[in-house]
Amino acid sequence: MKIALTLTLSLFCFSVAFSQSPLNSPPNEKPEIFSRTVTPQKLNRQFVSEWYNYGETINSMGGNVNYYRNYLFPDTTVLTEFTGSFGSIWKHSYGQMCDPSSPNLINNTLIDQYATYTLDSILLWYRYYRFQNQNPDTVVIQVYEDNKIHFNESPWSDERSYGNVDYNPTLRKGDAPSYEYTILLGDADTATASQHPILVPVGITVPAGKKVAATVTFFPGNPYSPGDTIDPVTTATVVNKINAFAIYDYKDLDKIENHYFYDNGMLCTPGIRYDYDTLGWAGSYIAGNAYSSGYYYLDMAFKLTSSNVGISENSSSLSVGLFPSIVNENELSVLQIQSNLNGVALINVIDLTGKTVTELNQSVQSGKNKISLPVQSLTSGIYFVNVEVNGIKETMKLVKL
């Protein structure tokens, strides 16, 4: 399905398992300072309607995260300024997975495997610099349902799972999406002083336990030549400026474990764009966690709604998340406990010999509860965290480095 939109927006009030070695992160990134949040819109525990943004969750939880502004362009022969020098554009198309059942989405109500939900809309933060005004430029946002996504359970030694989608180097965008939205950018869409949002209404129903993904690609509508620059700031050495479309991403330097869950970014670099990649990624997006120096997440939010949030809404239900599940010395893990009833959470941390090394009793209320789990006294190793509320039990794995 293809839908054409003309974008004229005001700023919204939101303050696989390949065998090759992980790729090194290209150095051409531009740090960005930002101060905004995508605030969850919660109604009550019988109805979930929230924005899910994985990179923003990692950042808000105090993760070791960098935030970058990068330009999308379909050709590496044009240049931009990277921290004091010019270099080739290396990001050609970008995407993001969304798995609302991931326990690392601790800021959100988790939507579990028993709950259907709808993808109401997608929000992408951008800047647009328009020096050429002969023709509109085009942004294409593609949406992928679960059957269009390739899931890879545990490709790297840190046990982080990921998913990706197919890329068509001829079309210069994702291949065979479920839905495609074409957005025309003109003079009214120029956004140079601050980030602006692209809000795309989607409105598709997602079966229980299934995931979604989305990609974004920029297509210039005006001429460009090798050596032209899309950098909008530097003026002394730049003669011919062409239109620029900037997106934002988070780089998770701690590489938070997310085993069996899928919230990674997806990226097309020059090798994939020109279909000469020799590491096994030709014809598909590189998952963000393929980069050995950090994991990348596109600053893209997914508005999800569910009137049935699964087993956590039954009278005897319990849903528990642990964030982070891999900790260093002096760090804390946070338990998110979603309970249908008031009660007392019995929390036990058990080592591999079966010995209980930590025991806590914590009152919980109906809804979402957050409980700090001290791990400073634990020695390095693997542990199991047992949580019991009103006779219902959940168990998660904890790794102390």
Side-chain angles (χ1 to χ4, degrees):
M1 174 184 294
K2 296 186 178 181
I3 300 176
L5 303 174
T6 299
L7 177 66
T8 304
L9 295 175
S10 59
L11 185 61
F12 284 77
C13 295
F14 294 98
S15 260
V16 155
F18 294 119
S19 60
Q20 78 276 13
S21 300
L23 301 174
N24 291 322
S25 170
N28 298 334
E29 297 173 312
K30 197 174 189 68
E32 182 81 1
I33 298 175
F34 69 109
S35 57
R36 61 162 183 77
T37 58
V38 177
T39 305
Q41 299 178 5
K42 301 180 181 181
L43 301 179
N44 56 60
R45 67 180 186 82
Q46 298 294 334
F47 184 80
V48 176
S49 185
E50 303 175 15
W51 287 103
Y52 291 71
N53 186 325
Y54 189 76
E56 192 165 77
T57 293
I58 299 295
N59 179 71
S60 65
M61 290 299 297
N64 185 14
V65 175
N66 287 338
Y67 192 65
Y68 293 107
R69 180 175 77 243
N70 281 280
Y71 299 105
L72 289 182
F73 205 80
D75 200 308
T76 57
T77 63
V78 300
L79 306 175
T80 192
E81 190 268 334
F82 292 109
T83 317
S85 62
F86 283 93
S88 297
I89 301 300
W90 65 280
K91 292 186 175 181
H92 298 301
S93 188
Y94 215 149
Q96 180 65 31
M97 291 281 297
C98 180
D99 182 354
S101 64
S102 171
N104 289 342
L105 283 165
I106 196 167
N107 289 347
N108 292 97
T109 302
L110 305 184
I111 300 177
D112 62 39
Q113 60 180 325
Y114 300 97
T116 60
Y117 61 95
T118 60
L119 172 57
D120 297 334
S121 51
I122 293 172
L123 185 71
L124 174 72
W125 294 95
Y126 78 99
R127 290 193 197 184
Y128 176 56
Y129 306 84
R130 186 169 173 83
F131 305 104
Q132 305 161 294
N133 56 17
Q134 306 96 304
N135 303 305
D137 295 309
T138 302
V139 170
V140 173
I141 292 181
Q142 298 173 294
V143 178
Y144 306 81
E145 296 174 287
D146 193 274
N147 63 346
K148 302 292 182 69
I149 303 170
H150 311 298
F151 296 100
N152 297 271
E153 179 181 299
S154 183
W156 310 117
S157 59
D158 57 15
E159 297 188 346
R160 191 172 183 89
S161 305
Y162 74 89
N164 64 348
V165 297
D166 294 332
Y167 179 78
N168 189 318
T170 302
L171 298 178
R172 304 184 182 184
K173 59 183 179 180
D175 197 22
S178 300
Y179 302 89
E180 182 174 298
Y181 303 86
T182 300
I183 300 165
L184 301 180
L185 298 177
D187 293 340
D189 305 305
T190 302
T192 59
S194 62
Q195 295 173 312
H196 279 203
I198 291 177
L199 181 64
V200 177
V202 180
I204 62 173
T205 300
V206 183
K210 302 300 183 180
K211 325 301 178 191
V212 292
T215 58
V216 56
T217 311
F218 175 72
F219 293 91
N222 298 279
Y224 63 90
S225 301
D228 286 350
T229 176
I230 66 170
D231 181 74
V233 179
T234 305
T235 58
T237 58
V238 175
V239 177
N240 187 31
K241 290 188 178 185
I242 57 178
N243 294 351
F245 183 78
I247 46 84
Y248 293 81
D249 59 7
Y250 300 87
K251 185 178 181 181
D252 175 14
L253 303 177
D254 287 337
K255 308 178 185 180
I256 301 300
E257 180 186 354
N258 203 15
H259 201 190
Y260 302 115
F261 299 100
Y262 305 88
D263 287 287
N264 57 276
M266 303 178 294
L267 177 65
C268 276
T269 61
I272 297 173
R273 153 67 182 90
Y274 296 106
D275 207 22
Y276 60 71
D277 179 82
T278 60
L279 296 177
W281 294 99
S284 64
Y285 281 72
I286 294 176
N289 59 324
Y291 288 89
S292 59
S293 64
Y295 300 149
Y296 288 81
Y297 311 98
L298 178 61
D299 191 359
M300 175 181 280
F302 298 80
K303 178 68 176 296
L304 307 180
T305 296
S306 177
S307 58
N308 168 24
V309 296
I311 59 172
S312 60
E313 291 304 321
N314 296 331
S315 60
S316 60
S317 68
L318 179 68
S319 178
V320 181
L322 182 65
F323 179 90
S325 57
I326 299 180
V327 293
N328 294 308
E329 193 66 30
N330 299 322
E331 287 187 325
L332 291 176
S333 273
V334 177
L335 285 166
Q336 176 178 287
I337 299 177
Q338 182 84 19
S339 175
N340 189 56
L341 300 173
N342 298 335
V344 176
L346 308 178
I347 304 166
N348 293 285
V349 181
I350 302 171
D351 64 19
L352 289 178
T353 69
K355 177 183 177 181
T356 298
V357 295
T358 300
E359 185 173 356
L360 299 172
N361 293 336
Q362 180 74 43
S363 296
V364 295
Q365 304 297 316
S366 176
K368 185 167 67 174
N369 302 262
K370 293 183 180 180
I371 301 172
S372 295
L373 183 65
V375 297
Q376 293 92 332
S377 62
L378 301 180
T379 59
S380 298
I382 298 175
Y383 298 86
F384 296 97
V385 181
N386 291 337
V387 179
E388 179 178 348
V389 180
N390 297 325
I392 308 300
K393 299 179 180 180
E394 289 280 353
T395 300
M396 293 146 296
K397 186 175 72 172
L398 173 69
V399 177
K400 173 70 177 294
L401 300 178

